Amino acid sequence: IFCLDDQRSIYPCGHNVVILTRGDDKYQDYIPCMEGSEGITAMALSNNKNYLAVCERSERAICCIYTVNTKKRRKIITTDYITDKEFISVAFSHQNEKGHLVTLTGGQDGMIILWQWNKGKCIAYQKVGISEGQTLYQASFNNLDFNSLIVTGNGVYKYYKLKDNGL
């Protein structure tokens, strides 16, 4: 659940994202997911609360970026070289939320992907490579340096740095 302000919250519900407005004029707006997808797997709200990233399970993992106020889809990001069906984590950069986004797949090895989402372009990707018994949970940006990424999970703490278009 994300709080937009004192009156509005965003949360997933089935195959939709709900924007609930509380107060005297209580009502709900809906953002429908992609047709043919199997459901929402991860969500992130940008720091300025203007953009919402919604990841969905499909034949190939997809992430849709919406403008919160208009509820319009700005961009769909996916790529052919990722064979996983879902992103398990998504986060906007604190320093460049109009451009940079990180996603994490939940497959056997897991893959961290850095995107320039406003252009629909993958900047860099890297297999995380986990051992048996380890589980991936989250990918995030370093608060001070958007070129630094962290992957965490059960028995997992990995640090990545973007250098020469690679991690």
Side-chain angles (χ1 to χ4, degrees), residues 129-160:
I130 58 174
S131 302
E132 190 173 325
Q134 293 180 321
T135 307
L136 299 174
Y137 294 140
Q138 183 177 12
S140 57
F141 285 92
N142 180 321
N143 289 340
L144 302 175
D145 178 11
F146 85 90
N147 290 316
S148 299
L149 305 168
I150 300 167
V151 174
T152 56
N154 182 21
V156 179
Y157 183 87
K158 296 196 176 195
Y159 183 82
Y160 296 91

Side-chain angles (χ1 to χ4, degrees), residues 4-47:
L4 288 173
D5 52 40
D6 291 342
Q7 298 293 314
R8 297 181 302 158
S9 300
I10 295 179
Y11 60 92
C13 182
H15 205 64
N16 298 290
V17 174
V18 177
I19 302 174
L20 173 66
T21 302
R22 295 175 304 279
D24 294 337
D25 298 328
K26 187 175 182 180
Y27 65 93
Q28 296 177 339
D29 285 327
Y30 297 93
I31 301 173
C33 290
M34 297 281 294
E35 194 168 316
S37 74
E38 298 174 25
I40 298 170
T41 58
M43 289 178 29
L45 185 64
S46 65
N47 278 353

Side-chain angles (χ1 to χ4, degrees), residues 95-112:
Q95 295 178 342
N96 189 1
E97 59 196 24
K98 287 187 177 180
H100 292 98
L101 185 82
V102 63
T103 56
L104 177 66
T105 66
Q108 180 66 20
D109 290 323
M111 175 116 31
I112 185 170

